[in-house]
Amino acid sequence: MAEEVILLDFWASMFGMRTRIALEEKKVKFDYREQDLWNKGSLLLEMNPIHKKIPVLIHNGKPVCESLIQVEYIDETWPGENPFLPSDPYQRAHAKFWADFIDKKVNVTARRIWAIKGEEKEASKELIDIFKTLEAELGDKHYFGGETFGYVDIALIGFYSWFGVYNKFGNMRIETECPTLTAWAQRCLKRESVAKTLPESEKVTTFISQRLGVE
């Protein structure tokens, strides 16, 4: 029996990008279904009744929610030759720590730049500090896990398509202030899975500007 893999997602979601990249890396064929976040469909509400959010990965009729959990699920369900997480328990814990850091620090702080009026300046400074912390962790490694593209890279790379938003609303120049992180992102973009998934930053910036009624 053929496997059925469905992804309920929204094109600009950096969280959905994680799941799409993970599926592409494992060469898993999936049915991508774009969702209207302002008029949520019955399947999304049925498959994620608790949070009612995308992305939702549906594997043979069973939903898996939350992007980082989905990435782990994909890694374990389709192990292949390119594991996202290392086999060593300490290294696995280390990778999960940084993915959690990205969710709790990068996501929360970055959203304040464009979504909460009056917090742009403070949030921008905090975001640069957070990115510099990530640059220190990356060091001179090719990827966060070393030579292998993996869990932390997948957790973070989607935010790169939002750099234009942060630059515009936070009056920032992330590429100039964080050259190591920018070089890492450019390396990630050379991977087919990432290049295929990430939208152009300009497209995301235009979308957010239109939603906020800003030119």
Side-chain angles (χ1 to χ4, degrees):
M1 182 175 123
E3 288 191 298
E4 182 185 52
V5 181
I6 299 169
L7 180 62
L8 309 182
D9 199 0
F10 180 68
W11 69 271
S13 169
M14 65 280 284
F15 303 108
M17 291 177 209
R18 294 169 171 173
T19 311
R20 278 176 265 158
I21 289 168
L23 288 167
E24 293 288 349
E25 283 285 327
K26 298 291 186 176
K27 307 213 180 310
V28 177
K29 292 183 179 179
F30 62 100
D31 178 6
Y32 177 87
R33 300 189 186 177
E34 181 77 3
Q35 301 297 296
D36 182 348
L37 303 187
W38 296 270
N39 184 24
K40 295 176 181 178
S42 58
L43 184 59
L44 174 60
L45 298 176
E46 177 190 346
M47 291 293 159
N48 192 359
I50 305 300
H51 295 302
K52 304 177 176 63
K53 293 180 179 179
I54 54 92
V56 180
L57 178 68
I58 307 170
H59 184 205
N60 294 332
K62 297 177 181 178
V64 180
C65 301
E66 299 297 312
S67 61
L68 289 177
I69 294 173
Q70 290 166 6
V71 172
E72 282 195 64
Y73 178 85
I74 291 165
D75 199 26
E76 293 171 1
T77 305
W78 297 279
E81 297 177 0
N82 53 333
F84 300 146
L85 280 161
S87 57
D88 178 77
Y90 176 77
Q91 291 179 356
R92 286 173 71 89
H94 189 75
K96 289 183 180 183
F97 169 86
W98 285 107
D100 184 64
F101 176 88
I102 290 163
D103 268 3
K104 289 177 177 173
K105 293 291 188 179
V106 177
N107 175 47
V108 173
T109 305
R111 184 174 174 80
R112 285 168 49 210
I113 292 173
W114 61 270
I116 304 178
K117 198 76 173 170
E119 294 202 13
E120 303 93 333
K121 188 174 181 179
E122 182 183 350
S124 298
K125 183 180 181 303
E126 288 179 23
L127 186 62
I128 291 298
D129 288 343
I130 290 165
F131 282 158
K132 287 189 179 299
T133 298
L134 285 164
E135 284 192 315
E137 168 60 20
L138 178 63
D140 58 2
K141 300 192 295 289
H142 204 67
Y143 298 115
F144 279 92
E147 292 300 312
T148 307
F149 180 79
Y151 190 69
V152 181
D153 305 293
I154 293 171
L156 182 60
I157 189 58
F159 288 92
Y160 183 64
S161 62
W162 284 69
F163 275 19
V165 174
Y166 310 147
N167 284 338
K168 177 176 180 176
F169 290 91
N171 193 25
M172 307 163 70
R173 293 293 176 269
I174 299 173
E175 293 83 355
T176 301
E177 297 193 62
C178 303
T180 301
L181 200 62
T182 301
W184 160 83
Q186 291 297 322
R187 284 195 295 276
C188 290
L189 275 169
K190 291 179 181 177
R191 301 186 70 84
E192 183 181 356
S193 64
V194 178
K196 187 175 180 179
T197 298
L198 261 61
E200 292 291 333
S201 187
E202 186 178 339
K203 183 181 178 182
V204 180
T205 305
T206 300
F207 165 71
I208 292 296
S209 298
Q210 289 175 345
R211 292 293 308 175
L212 297 177
V214 176
E215 290 186 2

